[in-house]
PDB file of all heavy atoms in Angstrom:
ATOM      1  N   LEU Q  83      33.085 131.133-122.578  1.00 98.00           N
ATOM      2  CA  LEU Q  83      32.558 129.781-122.396  1.00 98.00           C
ATOM      3  C   LEU Q  83      31.835 129.381-123.675  1.00 98.00           C
ATOM      4  O   LEU Q  83      30.975 130.119-124.156  1.00 98.00           O
ATOM      5  CB  LEU Q  83      31.585 129.749-121.215  1.00 98.00           C
ATOM      6  CG  LEU Q  83      30.847 128.419-120.969  1.00 98.00           C
ATOM      7  CD1 LEU Q  83      31.814 127.298-120.632  1.00 98.00           C
ATOM      8  CD2 LEU Q  83      29.819 128.579-119.859  1.00 98.00           C
ATOM      9  N   MET Q  84      32.218 128.240-124.243  1.00 97.00           N
ATOM     10  CA  MET Q  84      31.557 127.786-125.458  1.00 97.00           C
ATOM     11  C   MET Q  84      30.499 126.745-125.092  1.00 97.00           C
ATOM     12  O   MET Q  84      30.791 125.789-124.372  1.00 97.00           O
ATOM     13  CB  MET Q  84      32.593 127.205-126.408  1.00 97.00           C
ATOM     14  CG  MET Q  84      32.093 127.143-127.824  1.00 97.00           C
ATOM     15  SD  MET Q  84      33.474 127.171-128.963  1.00 97.00           S
ATOM     16  CE  MET Q  84      33.268 128.711-129.774  1.00 97.00           C
ATOM     17  N   VAL Q  85      29.287 126.971-125.582  1.00 97.00           N
ATOM     18  CA  VAL Q  85      28.184 126.037-125.334  1.00 97.00           C
ATOM     19  C   VAL Q  85      27.686 125.601-126.709  1.00 97.00           C
ATOM     20  O   VAL Q  85      27.078 126.396-127.427  1.00 97.00           O
ATOM     21  CB  VAL Q  85      27.050 126.707-124.545  1.00 97.00           C
ATOM     22  CG1 VAL Q  85      25.908 125.713-124.300  1.00 97.00           C
ATOM     23  CG2 VAL Q  85      27.551 127.248-123.218  1.00 97.00           C
ATOM     24  N   THR Q  86      27.979 124.358-127.097  1.00 95.00           N
ATOM     25  CA  THR Q  86      27.780 123.984-128.493  1.00 95.00           C
ATOM     26  C   THR Q  86      27.421 122.513-128.684  1.00 95.00           C
ATOM     27  O   THR Q  86      27.666 121.687-127.805  1.00 95.00           O
ATOM     28  CB  THR Q  86      29.076 124.288-129.292  1.00 95.00           C
ATOM     29  OG1 THR Q  86      28.931 123.787-130.609  1.00 95.00           O
ATOM     30  CG2 THR Q  86      30.289 123.624-128.659  1.00 95.00           C
ATOM     31  N   ALA Q  87      26.844 122.217-129.830  1.00 93.00           N
ATOM     32  CA  ALA Q  87      26.551 120.825-130.182  1.00 93.00           C
ATOM     33  C   ALA Q  87      27.730 120.165-130.885  1.00 93.00           C
ATOM     34  O   ALA Q  87      27.701 118.973-131.169  1.00 93.00           O
ATOM     35  CB  ALA Q  87      25.313 120.765-131.078  1.00 93.00           C
ATOM     36  N   GLU Q  88      28.784 120.952-131.174  1.00 93.00           N
ATOM     37  CA  GLU Q  88      29.950 120.391-131.864  1.00 93.00           C
ATOM     38  C   GLU Q  88      30.759 119.561-130.881  1.00 93.00           C
ATOM     39  O   GLU Q  88      31.253 120.090-129.889  1.00 93.00           O
ATOM     40  CB  GLU Q  88      30.824 121.516-132.436  1.00 93.00           C
ATOM     41  CG  GLU Q  88      30.104 122.435-133.403  1.00 93.00           C
ATOM     42  CD  GLU Q  88      29.468 121.692-134.565  1.00 93.00           C
ATOM     43  OE1 GLU Q  88      30.052 120.699-135.032  1.00 93.00           O
ATOM     44  OE2 GLU Q  88      28.379 122.111-134.988  1.00 93.00           O
ATOM     45  N   GLN Q  89      30.916 118.273-131.165  1.00 91.00           N
ATOM     46  CA  GLN Q  89      31.665 117.453-130.216  1.00 91.00           C
ATOM     47  C   GLN Q  89      32.730 116.589-130.864  1.00 91.00           C
ATOM     48  O   GLN Q  89      33.005 115.495-130.406  1.00 91.00           O
ATOM     49  CB  GLN Q  89      30.717 116.648-129.323  1.00 91.00           C
ATOM     50  CG  GLN Q  89      29.625 115.895-130.030  1.00 91.00           C
ATOM     51  CD  GLN Q  89      28.531 115.509-129.038  1.00 91.00           C
ATOM     52  OE1 GLN Q  89      27.613 116.277-128.799  1.00 91.00           O
ATOM     53  NE2 GLN Q  89      28.617 114.337-128.452  1.00 91.00           N
ATOM     54  N   LYS Q  90      33.323 117.131-131.933  1.00 93.00           N
ATOM     55  CA  LYS Q  90      34.476 116.442-132.511  1.00 93.00           C
ATOM     56  C   LYS Q  90      35.709 116.835-131.715  1.00 93.00           C
ATOM     57  O   LYS Q  90      35.865 117.991-131.334  1.00 93.00           O
ATOM     58  CB  LYS Q  90      34.662 116.846-133.985  1.00 93.00           C
ATOM     59  CG  LYS Q  90      33.699 116.170-134.918  1.00 93.00           C
ATOM     60  CD  LYS Q  90      34.063 116.449-136.364  1.00 93.00           C
ATOM     61  CE  LYS Q  90      34.710 115.236-136.976  1.00 93.00           C
ATOM     62  NZ  LYS Q  90      34.824 115.336-138.433  1.00 93.00           N
ATOM     63  N   ARG Q  91      36.551 115.831-131.503  1.00 94.00           N
ATOM     64  CA  ARG Q  91      37.766 116.077-130.729  1.00 94.00           C
ATOM     65  C   ARG Q  91      38.580 117.223-131.311  1.00 94.00           C
ATOM     66  O   ARG Q  91      39.035 118.100-130.594  1.00 94.00           O
ATOM     67  CB  ARG Q  91      38.637 114.818-130.702  1.00 94.00           C
ATOM     68  CG  ARG Q  91      38.108 113.796-129.742  1.00 94.00           C
ATOM     69  CD  ARG Q  91      38.849 112.476-129.816  1.00 94.00           C
ATOM     70  NE  ARG Q  91      38.244 111.571-128.860  1.00 94.00           N
ATOM     71  CZ  ARG Q  91      38.536 111.577-127.565  1.00 94.00           C
ATOM     72  NH1 ARG Q  91      39.450 112.420-127.105  1.00 94.00           N
ATOM     73  NH2 ARG Q  91      37.927 110.768-126.736  1.00 94.00           N
ATOM     74  N   GLU Q  92      38.744 117.189-132.647  1.00 94.00           N
ATOM     75  CA  GLU Q  92      39.584 118.217-133.264  1.00 94.00           C
ATOM     76  C   GLU Q  92      39.011 119.617-133.057  1.00 94.00           C
ATOM     77  O   GLU Q  92      39.754 120.590-132.964  1.00 94.00           O
ATOM     78  CB  GLU Q  92      39.795 117.928-134.754  1.00 94.00           C
ATOM     79  CG  GLU Q  92      38.512 117.860-135.566  1.00 94.00           C
ATOM     80  CD  GLU Q  92      38.783 117.407-137.007  1.00 94.00           C
ATOM     81  OE1 GLU Q  92      39.125 116.230-137.219  1.00 94.00           O
ATOM     82  OE2 GLU Q  92      38.655 118.252-137.900  1.00 94.00           O
ATOM     83  N   GLN Q  93      37.667 119.689-132.964  1.00 95.00           N
ATOM     84  CA  GLN Q  93      37.061 121.007-132.747  1.00 95.00           C
ATOM     85  C   GLN Q  93      37.283 121.490-131.324  1.00 95.00           C
ATOM     86  O   GLN Q  93      37.547 122.672-131.082  1.00 95.00           O
ATOM     87  CB  GLN Q  93      35.569 120.936-133.062  1.00 95.00           C
ATOM     88  CG  GLN Q  93      35.306 120.891-134.548  1.00 95.00           C
ATOM     89  CD  GLN Q  93      33.839 120.767-134.850  1.00 95.00           C
ATOM     90  OE1 GLN Q  93      33.207 119.776-134.509  1.00 95.00           O
ATOM     91  NE2 GLN Q  93      33.279 121.778-135.452  1.00 95.00           N
ATOM     92  N   ILE Q  94      37.175 120.552-130.368  1.00 96.00           N
ATOM     93  CA  ILE Q  94      37.403 120.912-128.967  1.00 96.00           C
ATOM     94  C   ILE Q  94      38.853 121.384-128.798  1.00 96.00           C
ATOM     95  O   ILE Q  94      39.127 122.383-128.125  1.00 96.00           O
ATOM     96  CB  ILE Q  94      37.079 119.719-128.045  1.00 96.00           C
ATOM     97  CG1 ILE Q  94      35.608 119.326-128.208  1.00 96.00           C
ATOM     98  CG2 ILE Q  94      37.392 120.057-126.592  1.00 96.00           C
ATOM     99  CD1 ILE Q  94      35.247 117.978-127.624  1.00 96.00           C
ATOM    100  N   ILE Q  95      39.747 120.664-129.478  1.00 96.00           N
ATOM    101  CA  ILE Q  95      41.167 121.045-129.422  1.00 96.00           C
ATOM    102  C   ILE Q  95      41.380 122.416-130.075  1.00 96.00           C
ATOM    103  O   ILE Q  95      42.095 123.271-129.548  1.00 96.00           O
ATOM    104  CB  ILE Q  95      42.045 119.960-130.107  1.00 96.00           C
ATOM    105  CG1 ILE Q  95      41.974 118.662-129.292  1.00 96.00           C
ATOM    106  CG2 ILE Q  95      43.484 120.424-130.262  1.00 96.00           C
ATOM    107  CD1 ILE Q  95      42.532 117.432-129.990  1.00 96.00           C
ATOM    108  N   GLU Q  96      40.689 122.634-131.201  1.00 96.00           N
ATOM    109  CA  GLU Q  96      40.803 123.937-131.883  1.00 96.00           C
ATOM    110  C   GLU Q  96      40.355 125.070-130.959  1.00 96.00           C
ATOM    111  O   GLU Q  96      40.995 126.120-130.876  1.00 96.00           O
ATOM    112  CB  GLU Q  96      39.956 123.924-133.168  1.00 96.00           C
ATOM    113  CG  GLU Q  96      40.134 125.195-133.996  1.00 96.00           C
ATOM    114  CD  GLU Q  96      39.220 125.233-135.224  1.00 96.00           C
ATOM    115  OE1 GLU Q  96      38.542 124.232-135.506  1.00 96.00           O
ATOM    116  OE2 GLU Q  96      39.210 126.297-135.883  1.00 96.00           O
ATOM    117  N   ALA Q  97      39.223 124.827-130.264  1.00 97.00           N
ATOM    118  CA  ALA Q  97      38.701 125.851-129.346  1.00 97.00           C
ATOM    119  C   ALA Q  97      39.690 126.097-128.214  1.00 97.00           C
ATOM    120  O   ALA Q  97      39.935 127.248-127.823  1.00 97.00           O
ATOM    121  CB  ALA Q  97      37.340 125.421-128.801  1.00 97.00           C
ATOM    122  N   ALA Q  98      40.267 125.002-127.706  1.00 96.00           N
ATOM    123  CA  ALA Q  98      41.240 125.127-126.612  1.00 96.00           C
ATOM    124  C   ALA Q  98      42.445 125.946-127.077  1.00 96.00           C
ATOM    125  O   ALA Q  98      42.907 126.845-126.378  1.00 96.00           O
ATOM    126  CB  ALA Q  98      41.671 123.745-126.137  1.00 96.00           C
ATOM    127  N   GLN Q  99      42.909 125.632-128.297  1.00 96.00           N
ATOM    128  CA  GLN Q  99      44.065 126.355-128.827  1.00 96.00           C
ATOM    129  C   GLN Q  99      43.743 127.819-129.088  1.00 96.00           C
ATOM    130  O   GLN Q  99      44.614 128.685-128.988  1.00 96.00           O
ATOM    131  CB  GLN Q  99      44.574 125.673-130.097  1.00 96.00           C
ATOM    132  CG  GLN Q  99      45.355 124.400-129.785  1.00 96.00           C
ATOM    133  CD  GLN Q  99      45.589 123.519-130.997  1.00 96.00           C
ATOM    134  OE1 GLN Q  99      44.965 123.718-132.038  1.00 96.00           O
ATOM    135  NE2 GLN Q  99      46.454 122.531-130.856  1.00 96.00           N
ATOM    136  N   ALA Q 100      42.487 128.087-129.416  1.00 97.00           N
ATOM    137  CA  ALA Q 100      42.075 129.480-129.668  1.00 97.00           C
ATOM    138  C   ALA Q 100      41.911 130.248-128.356  1.00 97.00           C
ATOM    139  O   ALA Q 100      41.707 131.453-128.357  1.00 97.00           O
ATOM    140  CB  ALA Q 100      40.784 129.513-130.472  1.00 97.00           C
ATOM    141  N   GLY Q 101      41.964 129.514-127.230  1.00 96.00           N
ATOM    142  CA  GLY Q 101      41.932 130.185-125.929  1.00 96.00           C
ATOM    143  C   GLY Q 101      40.584 130.211-125.243  1.00 96.00           C
ATOM    144  O   GLY Q 101      40.267 131.130-124.487  1.00 96.00           O
TER     145      GLY Q 101
END
Side-chain angles (χ1 to χ4, degrees):
Chain Q
L83 175 63
M84 199 155 247
V85 180
T86 174
E88 302 304 324
Q89 49 197 88
K90 283 188 104 168
R91 283 173 181 278
E92 59 187 70
Q93 285 178 296
I94 299 166
I95 294 167
E96 186 184 353
Q99 284 166 346

